[in-house]
Amino acid sequence: MGSNANYAIVGLFVLLFTAGVLGFAYWLAKHGGQQEYDYYQVFMTESVAGLSTDASVKYRGVEVGTVSEMDLNPDNPEQVRLVLKIKRGTPVKTDTRATLKFYGITGLAFIELQGTSRDAPRLEPGDGEMPVIPTTPSTFTRLDDALSELAVKSTRALDRIDRLLSDDNLKAVATLLKDTRDMVHGVHEVAKGLNRQMEDLRTLIHKGIEMEENVSDAFEDVTEASLD
């Protein structure tokens, strides 16, 4: 009789313990451990090397989700389509932009979200599709573009310098310098000739003045002689 009572007590304890565990699990699933998420699409035109599914999604450095899917865009194979699983309540707005960033020198990548205005409206889905977060180029892409543009401009500049210093252009410059030197020499000779002519003109004018004075003196002498 006592043995049966012990079994009944043990059975009742097991049932109560099991019910308690199931009740706690239900409460935890409903209130404590179930996080709701929103899903967004991102289309990257640059390489996503270093990025993988389950990679972090951060909003201004705060982790807010993960990358749940990653594949090529079937409508445009030059784009990589990402699906971001983001905690509900994260301020994803119409001015939010997604950028590919990296952890130091490890090569591992994550998605960084940033917005510019707190007054911008929230990004809502349209026609039942996942909303699309626009992208901005990563630092490495901007640096690569800048270096490529610099290389192109340097090549053009060197090509122009090479054409400028070609044999034909150097000969043309030498001819121009020689013609300029000859022209300056000719102008100098003309100036010397004009100077000599001016000297002759001054001498002629001076002689004319002297002649006029002599004539005047002679006229005065003749006048005085006639009066005597």
Side-chain angles (χ1 to χ4, degrees):
M1 185 71 180
S3 177
N4 291 332
N6 290 336
Y7 287 140
I9 293 172
V10 172
L12 180 61
F13 176 78
V14 171
L15 288 175
L16 291 175
F17 178 77
T18 303
V21 170
L22 292 176
F24 177 76
Y26 174 78
W27 176 88
L28 185 64
K30 185 174 182 180
H31 301 285
Q34 188 173 12
Q35 172 69 54
E36 294 183 330
Y37 293 90
D38 293 319
Y39 291 85
Y40 300 87
Q41 294 185 103
V42 171
F43 294 96
M44 290 278 184
T45 56
E46 61 183 289
S47 172
V48 294
L51 188 72
S52 61
T53 54
D54 294 330
S56 295
V57 176
K58 298 186 178 185
Y59 194 99
R60 294 188 176 275
V62 178
E63 190 160 343
V64 294
T66 58
V67 178
S68 64
E69 296 180 27
M70 185 170 65
D71 52 25
L72 292 177
N73 181 6
D75 299 324
N76 185 358
E78 294 183 357
Q79 292 180 333
V80 177
R81 173 180 170 273
L82 307 177
V83 175
L84 307 185
K85 178 183 175 183
I86 299 176
K87 295 178 182 178
R88 183 161 296 172
T90 301
V92 180
K93 301 183 178 182
T94 54
D95 67 341
T96 300
R97 298 292 182 269
T99 306
L100 186 68
K101 290 195 173 183
F102 297 87
Y103 292 103
I105 59 175
T106 62
L108 297 177
F110 64 95
I111 299 297
E112 176 78 12
L113 302 179
Q114 287 189 341
T116 57
S117 173
R118 64 181 181 180
D119 297 326
R122 293 187 64 85
L123 183 61
E124 301 292 348
D127 300 329
E129 296 183 356
M130 280 187 290
V132 177
I133 300 176
T135 63
T136 56
S138 66
T139 302
F140 288 110
T141 297
R142 293 196 299 269
L143 180 61
D144 182 66
D145 291 343
L147 291 176
S148 298
E149 184 177 359
L150 178 62
V152 170
K153 290 182 177 179
S154 298
T155 302
R156 290 176 181 171
L158 291 174
D159 184 59
R160 290 174 181 174
I161 292 174
D162 184 63
R163 291 199 301 269
L164 180 64
L165 298 179
S166 65
D167 292 339
D168 292 339
N169 286 343
L170 290 176
K171 290 178 181 178
V173 170
T175 301
L176 178 62
L177 291 175
K178 181 178 180 301
D179 292 343
T180 303
R181 186 175 62 252
D182 294 342
M183 183 180 66
V184 170
H185 180 71
V187 170
H188 181 67
E189 292 297 327
V190 170
K192 287 172 64 178
L194 289 175
N195 189 41
R196 287 194 298 268
Q197 291 178 4
M198 291 298 294
E199 289 291 337
D200 294 341
L201 180 60
R202 281 196 294 269
T203 301
L204 181 61
I205 292 173
H206 182 69
K207 289 181 177 180
I209 293 173
E210 289 181 350
M211 183 180 295
E212 182 182 0
E213 290 176 351
N214 293 333
V215 169
S216 179
D217 291 342
F219 181 77
E220 289 178 359
D221 292 342
V222 169
T223 302
E224 289 177 0
S226 63
L227 291 175
D228 291 341

